[in-house]
Amino acid sequence: MIQSINSSTMLPCTALAVKKIIEAEKIETYGRNAVVIGRSHNVGLPIAIILGADRSKGGFDMTTAICHRATPTHQLSKVCKTADIIVSAAGVPGLVDSSMVKPGSLLVDVGLNRVKSKQNNNTTRDVVIGDFNKNVSQVECRLTPVPGGVGPCTVACLLHNTLLAAKLQHGLES
């Protein structure tokens, strides 16, 4: 368990990236609702812990629900409609659509899905899409792009963790 999240705490890179993105949005999180879709040990669960953790320990003080790819659609829809923040890391293209999104919410798309896309000349090519359906853009909300959103921030957090590990190893960080 995470006892405290501070500047010398090593967190999984993607979870740290999501934390940084939420902090950058400067939204009030205290007592609000969050949904994490995905329960992997490196992404979904650490994100859920950070969202629900006490603010004094580096968390966001949110009421957090965890769903996953096997959560029935009607249940997923019900819980997402109440969420101020939805983080999807399920790896299911288009899993969350506009009918599930509350206006004003923050949508963090961690999903990375390669799918075939039909081109004008009847050929196909691989494209990368996230877990949120394109139609969520019809709802007044904030959505991280795929590609180009959480991924580059994760790389930056990997560099952060590398530097932190070197500092800790050499006694330069307490």
Side-chain angles (χ1 to χ4, degrees):
M1 290 298 286
I2 298 171
Q3 298 298 316
S4 180
I5 304 166
N6 57 43
S7 62
S8 62
T9 303
M10 290 253 262
L11 295 174
C13 298
T14 305
L16 181 57
V18 170
K19 182 179 191 300
K20 298 283 187 189
I21 289 167
I22 294 169
E23 288 171 344
E25 288 297 317
K26 297 183 183 340
I27 58 176
E28 179 55 48
T29 58
Y30 183 84
R32 301 277 175 93
N33 296 318
V35 174
V36 178
I37 308 169
R39 56 187 170 184
S40 72
H41 290 222
N42 291 325
V43 181
L45 293 179
I47 291 169
I49 291 169
I50 291 167
L51 290 170
D54 191 290
R55 182 171 289 159
S56 67
K57 295 181 179 178
F60 289 106
D61 274 321
M62 299 188 80
T63 301
T64 306
I66 301 173
C67 299
H68 46 81
R69 66 179 64 227
T71 301
T73 305
H74 71 279
Q75 278 185 293
L76 181 63
S77 179
K78 184 178 177 182
V79 78
C80 284
K81 285 177 183 178
T82 68
D84 300 292
I85 296 176
I86 303 172
V87 179
S88 187
V92 179
L95 178 64
V96 180
D97 67 32
S98 62
S99 71
M100 301 174 170
V101 176
K102 179 169 95 170
S105 58
L106 172 62
L107 311 177
V108 183
D109 200 339
V110 184
L112 187 66
N113 309 289
R114 284 179 180 79
V115 297
K116 299 282 185 194
S117 175
K118 198 172 199 175
Q119 303 299 296
N120 290 338
N121 59 359
N122 284 335
T123 61
T124 61
R125 71 179 181 112
D126 287 340
V127 295
V128 175
I129 63 170
D131 289 350
F132 287 92
N133 190 300
K134 284 190 264 183
N135 70 11
V136 298
S137 63
Q138 299 167 0
V139 179
E140 183 66 37
C141 63
R142 290 169 279 181
L143 170 66
T144 60
V146 174
V150 176
C153 193
T154 299
V155 172
C157 290
L158 174 61
L159 296 173
H160 166 82
N161 277 354
T162 303
L163 180 60
L164 178 59
K167 286 180 176 181
L168 291 170
Q169 186 175 22
H170 295 286
L172 300 173
E173 189 89 15
S174 56

